[in-house]
Amino acid sequence: MRVSYALVLSLASTFSGFSIARTPQFDSAALLTPQPTNFAQCPQFFAGGKPPAIKPRPQLRELCYEAFAVLHSGATRTPVYVAQRLNRQTIEDADEKRAKRFFADARLPRGERAELEDYKNSGYSRGHMAPAGDMPTPTAMAQSFSLANMVPQNSQHNGGAWNKIEQDTRRYALRAKGDVYVITGPVFTDSATTIGANGVKVPTYLYKLVYDATTHRAWAHWQENQAGESAGAPISYQELVKRTGVEFLPKITLQH
């Protein structure tokens, strides 16, 4: 039986002396429907069922959510990438009331994750990789506020050019004839800084890869994580692979 996020909050708030509103952080395992921690259990978010080919490294953990999947790095305390599958139906369903409670995912060890305090007074916003605006259900909306789905993002960029890219991607998925796979993530350089006591790494760049499974075409948006960026022309899939060193669509033949 699925228990909705709203119902759990309602029930929890009835207990004497306990108030969700006064709780600065909560244990996601207690409030959200349990989700798998292996991509083999959520292949629907990857084109051809194959996740990006990432070189093995320490502290990588796979997290499945209802509407997206995250490869999380305990070294950066951020996603390596976040994968989604969008289509007309999911976008038409994505009219849920926006959640407000960010949380640290309890499936991640404390020594590998960002905490709410890391972002407080950091000067950076908590930038969604899988946008809240894409979420088709109340549970998916609540889960999108996991800090495992966040990176420290320049606030102006988050609400400006990046927001436009997210909206444009939704509009494309709405008119596409089938599934559109989206992979979003950060890119760090040697000069990248960190925020908070846990050393959450600040990305220098952000990318959003879009792959239309019907037309077999792919393109990517590449942005510096800074104010003043504009939503310009996308780069090619091949250029994204060159810049990141990651084969995001293994075994997929693209139409050029």
Side-chain angles (χ1 to χ4, degrees):
M1 180 181 71
R2 285 179 54 190
V3 180
S4 75
Y5 172 73
L7 175 59
V8 174
L9 286 180
S10 176
L11 291 173
S13 65
T14 64
F15 287 100
S16 175
F18 182 81
S19 170
I20 287 291
R22 292 195 299 269
T23 304
Q25 183 169 335
F26 56 84
D27 184 337
S28 60
L31 296 183
L32 302 180
T33 305
Q35 298 291 312
T37 54
N38 189 304
F39 286 163
Q41 296 170 285
C42 56
Q44 69 270 23
F45 299 121
F46 304 102
K50 299 288 186 181
I54 297 288
K55 294 179 180 178
R57 67 184 89 156
Q59 298 183 312
L60 291 184
R61 296 183 186 271
E62 300 174 357
L63 301 173
C64 297
Y65 295 85
E66 184 179 287
F68 58 96
V70 174
L71 181 64
H72 186 271
S73 168
T76 63
R77 271 74 166 177
T78 69
V80 176
Y81 62 75
V82 178
Q84 300 173 261
R85 183 184 65 183
L86 304 178
N87 52 49
R88 184 179 183 86
Q89 186 62 56
T90 63
I91 298 302
E92 288 180 342
D93 288 343
D95 58 356
E96 303 299 329
K97 182 178 179 180
R98 185 178 175 88
K100 296 180 180 179
R101 292 188 175 92
F102 293 87
F103 64 94
D105 195 314
R107 293 175 295 174
L108 295 171
R110 286 190 178 275
E112 295 183 15
R113 72 192 191 199
E115 303 289 349
L116 295 178
E117 287 297 315
D118 291 319
Y119 282 89
K120 188 176 181 180
N121 299 322
S122 70
Y124 289 92
S125 65
R126 293 164 290 202
H128 284 70
M129 295 291 89
D134 291 353
M135 299 299 122
T137 69
T139 298
M141 173 63 78
Q143 291 177 353
S144 76
F145 280 73
S146 165
L147 293 183
N149 182 40
M150 307 290 157
V151 300
Q153 188 172 7
N154 177 277
S155 297
Q156 187 186 81
H157 181 241
N158 191 11
W162 193 250
N163 181 55
K164 184 180 187 306
I165 288 169
E166 292 175 339
Q167 293 184 29
D168 288 347
T169 302
R170 278 193 287 275
R171 281 192 284 267
Y172 182 86
L174 190 62
R175 66 177 185 267
K177 294 183 178 180
D179 288 333
V180 176
Y181 293 87
V182 181
I183 300 176
T184 309
V187 176
F188 304 97
T189 59
D190 292 340
S191 60
T193 59
T194 63
I195 61 169
N198 292 295
V200 183
K201 207 162 187 179
V202 180
T204 307
Y205 302 98
L206 298 173
Y207 64 84
K208 185 177 289 291
L209 169 66
V210 182
Y211 168 63
D212 187 325
T214 301
T215 65
H216 302 291
R217 294 184 181 276
W219 58 93
H221 301 278
W222 180 272
Q223 295 266 297
E224 280 200 63
N225 183 19
Q226 64 179 13
E229 288 290 278
S230 60
I235 62 175
S236 68
Y237 172 75
Q238 292 76 17
E239 180 62 22
L240 179 66
V241 172
K242 180 180 177 181
R243 294 184 186 187
T244 62
V246 177
E247 190 67 63
F248 291 96
L249 301 170
K251 300 185 178 180
I252 295 293
T253 301
L254 297 177
Q255 183 68 42
H256 298 290

